[in-house]
Structures are given as structure tokens and as C-alpha cells.
């Protein structure tokens, strides 16, 4: 499922990743849950899809934030409402705010996530397990150019170890989203970002799980009291994959675009929530073209 909601939550007023408070020398906490689902039209025969519930807890003190999240294993068969019931994808992140002033800020996050899989045969019987570990190294930044313009983003390097042939992952990955925000007034802002995710292998004789995704992402946050509405779009610049490297060594190209809406509400008592829906249309070099639906709901309590 990736963490598509991660970028959206950073935009929302109820973003759960970090707590901002004038009382920096005190503990601040966030606890919450998210439920994300995605499905592709045209799969009426088996009605396969993905959904990923998660629960998290964050604690901040001064410049330090520790974040713990537990994800559930991904796929689902909507025809009989079954899926793996294993919460076997824990993630631990530790972030340090290196610089934070009116002109600019800089932070760094290190983290570890486990990707657990329980494989099944066609008859539903067990067919083994796999566990891949992902190590994350991620700086993030924000530069206030003036009262109306800012430049911000993050850049992550991931290293994957163990069971890569079973899970299909490459051993390395780069992911980044960065761009400019224009504050039109107290109600409306415009943010335009460049997004890149690239999976690759450091060993030249391997090509499993390599891929590349490049996008332009544009957001229009509209603050209306306790409510923030964020229409957004993702314009695909380039995408290719070779997830089926064991059968076909050549990469497959894709063409896609997305429209979405994120709704965030702050109850002003520590409780906040988000709702999101997105529609994406995809064209593939191989196989039939399709349309894609994403939906997410999240709740967060800060104290």
C-alpha cells in the first residue's frame, strides 16, 4: 500500500506524524489509527484488492520524536471477505529536529520497518512466510523564502535485507517529495511538488523488484475554521516496473494520472480526523488498462 496517506497527512491540519507546541520542554503524544483501501476496477472474477489498517503512537520531547506504527499484511479477497489477519509489519522511527527557526528548519529521521508475508496456495493452504527489513535514513527541510513562499520536502534512502527473492523487493530505494508552497491568503495555499520513487539493486547481476515513478503533485489546501479541504492531483511523468522479472526481464511502462480530495477536521480538544478519496486512471504497455480507487480514514488524538 505504501504510505500514500503519509504525504496527505502532512498537508492536513490533523497530521499525526509530529506535534508542534510552544512547550518544547515537555512530553507531547499522539495516538491514532488509519484504515486505507485500494481497488482496481475490472477484477470482477476474483475481486482482489488491498487494504491496510494501521495503529500508531508518537511521543515528542524537545527536538526528539519517536514514532511506532503497526501495519497489517496487505491483500484481501472481497468475494469472501478473507485476508491475512497478521499485524506483522511494525515500524519504528526516531526523528531529531536539528534546526528550527523562523528562517528555516532541518530534521533527520532514522527508522526500521518489517514487511511480513504469509503466502498461500490456490487451495488456501499455507505456503510459507517471508520477512524483509527496511532501514530508513531521511532528512526533511523547510525554507521560508518570504511571508508568502516556502520551499520544503524530504528525501529518504531505504535499504532492504532478507527474503528479497520471496518478497520481490530490490535491495535499495530512493523516495523524495519536494517543492514550493505559495500562501495566497489565510485561507488558501497552493503547493506544487516533484515526487520520485526509484527501486534499484546495488549488485549489477540482479534486477528483481526494480521500478521508477516520477510525478508532479499539486495540492490546494483550503482552511475553513476547524476544517481543511485539500483537492489534489498527481500527474504521471514516468513509471516503469519489472516486478515479474523471473518471467520477463524487460520492464513494463505505465501511464497514469490521479485526482483526489482530503478532508481534515480538528475538534479543538486534541481529537482530529481525516477522510480521503482518490480516483486514478492507468494505461499499461502489457495487459488491459484500468481505473484505480483509493480511500482512507484516520483518527488522531493529541495530548
Amino acid at each position: 500500500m505504501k504510505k500514500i496517506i503519509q504525504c496527505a497527512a502532512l498537508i492536513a491540519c490533523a497530521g499525526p506524524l509530529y506535534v508542534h507546541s510552544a512547550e518544547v520542554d515537555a512530553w507531547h503524544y499522539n495516538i491514532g489509527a488509519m484504515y486505507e483501501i485500494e481497488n482496481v476496477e475490472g477484477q470482477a472474477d476474483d475481486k482482489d484488492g488491498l487494504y491496510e489498517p494501521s495503529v500508531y503512537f508518537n511521543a515528542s520531547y524537545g527536538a526528539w520524536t519517536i514514532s511506532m506504527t503497526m501495519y497489517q499484511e496487505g491483500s484481501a479477497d472481497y468475494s469472501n471477505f478473507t485476508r491475512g489477519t497478521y499485524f506483522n509489519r511494525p515500524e519504528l522511527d526516531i526523528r531529531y529536529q536539528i534546526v528550527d527557526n523562523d528562517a528555516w528548519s532541518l530534521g533527520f529521521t532514522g527508522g526500521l520497518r518489517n514487511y511480513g508475508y504469509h503466502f498461500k496456495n490456490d487451495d488456501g493452504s499455507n505456503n510459507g512466510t517471508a520477512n524483509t527489513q527496511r532501514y530508513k535514513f531521511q532528512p526533511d527541510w523547510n525554507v521560508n523564502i518570504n511571508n508568502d513562499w516556502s520551499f520544503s520536502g524530504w528525501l529518504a534512502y531505504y535499504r532492504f535485507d532478507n527474503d528479497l527473492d520471496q518478497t520481490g523487493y530490490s535491495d535499495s530505494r530512493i523516495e523524495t517529495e519536494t517543492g514550493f508552497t505559495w500562501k495566497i491568503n489565510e485561507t488558501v495555499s497552493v503547493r506544487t511538488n516533484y515526487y520520485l520513487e526509484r527501486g534499484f539493486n546495488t549488485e549489477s547481476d540482479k534486477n528483481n523488484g526494480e521500478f521508477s515513478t516520477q510525478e508532479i503533485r499539486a495540492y490546494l489546501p483550503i482552511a475553513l475554521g476547524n476544517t481543511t479541504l485539500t483537492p489534489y492531483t498527481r500527474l504521471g511523468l514516468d513509471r516503469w516496473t519489472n516486478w515479474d522479472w523471473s518471467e520477463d526481464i524487460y520492464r513494463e511502462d505505465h501511464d497514469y494520472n490521479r485526482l483526489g480530495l482530503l478532508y481534515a477536521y480538528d475538534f479543538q480538544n486534541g481529537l482530529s480526523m481525516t477522510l480521503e478519496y482518490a480516483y486514478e486512471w492507468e494505461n499499461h504497455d502489457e495487459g488491459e488498462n484500468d481505473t484505480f480507487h483509493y480511500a482512507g480514514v484516520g483518527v488522531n488524538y493529541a495530548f
Side-chain angles (χ1 to χ4, degrees):
M1 168 82 49
K2 199 63 189 125
K3 284 190 289 185
I4 300 176
I5 196 67
Q6 176 187 23
C7 299
L10 287 171
I11 303 166
C13 65
L17 293 182
Y18 308 112
V19 177
H20 298 282
S21 173
E23 301 177 39
V24 294
D25 294 327
W27 281 102
H28 302 278
Y29 307 97
N30 283 276
I31 187 169
M34 302 204 69
Y35 190 91
E36 301 171 86
I37 188 169
E38 57 187 38
N39 195 17
V40 177
E41 291 182 4
Q43 295 184 340
D45 292 337
D46 53 15
K47 301 180 181 178
D48 286 340
L50 291 173
Y51 66 86
E52 185 177 63
S54 59
V55 292
Y56 61 85
F57 174 77
N58 304 330
S60 299
Y61 185 88
W64 293 92
T65 300
I66 182 169
S67 304
M68 295 171 285
T69 307
M70 184 68 76
Y71 301 90
Q72 191 175 357
E73 186 179 345
S75 60
D77 181 352
Y78 299 132
S79 60
N80 59 10
F81 299 100
T82 62
R83 56 153 293 145
T85 57
Y86 308 96
F87 263 92
N88 58 354
R89 298 187 177 184
E91 182 172 7
L92 173 66
D93 290 336
I94 299 177
R95 180 180 184 272
Y96 181 70
Q97 186 73 48
I98 302 171
V99 178
D100 189 9
N101 55 50
D102 292 338
W104 67 294
S105 65
L106 175 66
F108 184 83
T109 302
L112 171 64
R113 180 174 178 178
N114 181 75
Y115 288 82
Y117 286 89
H118 287 72
F119 300 109
K120 293 184 178 182
N121 298 309
D122 292 338
D123 61 3
S125 59
N126 291 329
N127 189 25
T129 62
N131 286 279
T132 294
Q133 289 75 48
R134 186 195 75 180
Y135 303 91
K136 177 171 70 174
F137 308 91
Q138 178 182 306
D140 60 85
W141 61 88
N142 180 74
V143 179
N144 292 318
I145 301 172
N146 54 40
N147 292 334
D148 299 326
W149 287 87
S150 62
F151 175 74
S152 61
W154 51 273
L155 170 65
Y157 170 73
Y158 307 112
R159 177 71 187 187
F160 292 81
D161 288 321
N162 298 321
D163 295 338
L164 300 184
D165 289 337
Q166 291 96 316
T167 60
Y169 292 126
S170 56
D171 62 39
S172 299
R173 190 177 300 182
I174 292 290
E175 185 178 20
T176 183
E177 183 171 355
T178 183
F180 292 92
T181 298
W182 174 34
K183 182 180 178 182
I184 300 175
N185 51 46
E186 295 299 323
T187 301
V188 181
S189 299
V190 177
R191 182 174 183 180
T192 304
N193 287 352
Y194 169 75
Y195 175 83
L196 167 68
E197 186 176 19
R198 173 72 165 91
F200 60 96
N201 289 283
T202 55
E203 298 181 25
S204 59
D205 61 339
K206 292 185 178 181
N207 67 344
N208 55 289
E210 294 190 341
F211 68 94
S212 179
T213 299
Q214 297 185 69
E215 301 172 338
I216 293 296
R217 295 183 172 184
Y219 309 90
L220 186 68
I222 303 170
L224 303 170
N226 296 349
T227 298
T228 300
L229 292 174
T230 306
Y232 67 89
T233 185
R234 296 179 180 180
L235 304 177
L237 300 177
D238 174 69
R239 180 188 285 180
W240 59 265
T241 59
N242 73 334
W243 288 105
D244 56 349
W245 80 94
S246 60
E247 300 175 359
D248 182 0
I249 64 173
Y250 298 102
R251 76 185 197 186
E252 178 185 0
D253 290 301
H254 313 271
D255 178 43
Y256 63 97
N257 293 286
R258 172 182 287 206
L259 290 173
L261 177 64
L262 174 67
Y263 168 85
Y265 188 82
D266 188 348
F267 292 92
Q268 297 295 315
N269 59 1
L271 184 65
S272 56
M273 64 169 293
T274 58
L275 297 172
E276 183 178 4
Y277 171 78
Y279 175 83
E280 184 173 299
W281 52 102
E282 304 175 344
N283 301 318
H284 310 285
D285 282 356
E286 302 176 8
E288 298 181 357
N289 299 330
D290 50 45
T291 54
F292 170 98
H293 299 270
Y294 166 84
V297 56
V299 60
N300 178 76
Y301 182 67
F303 58 100

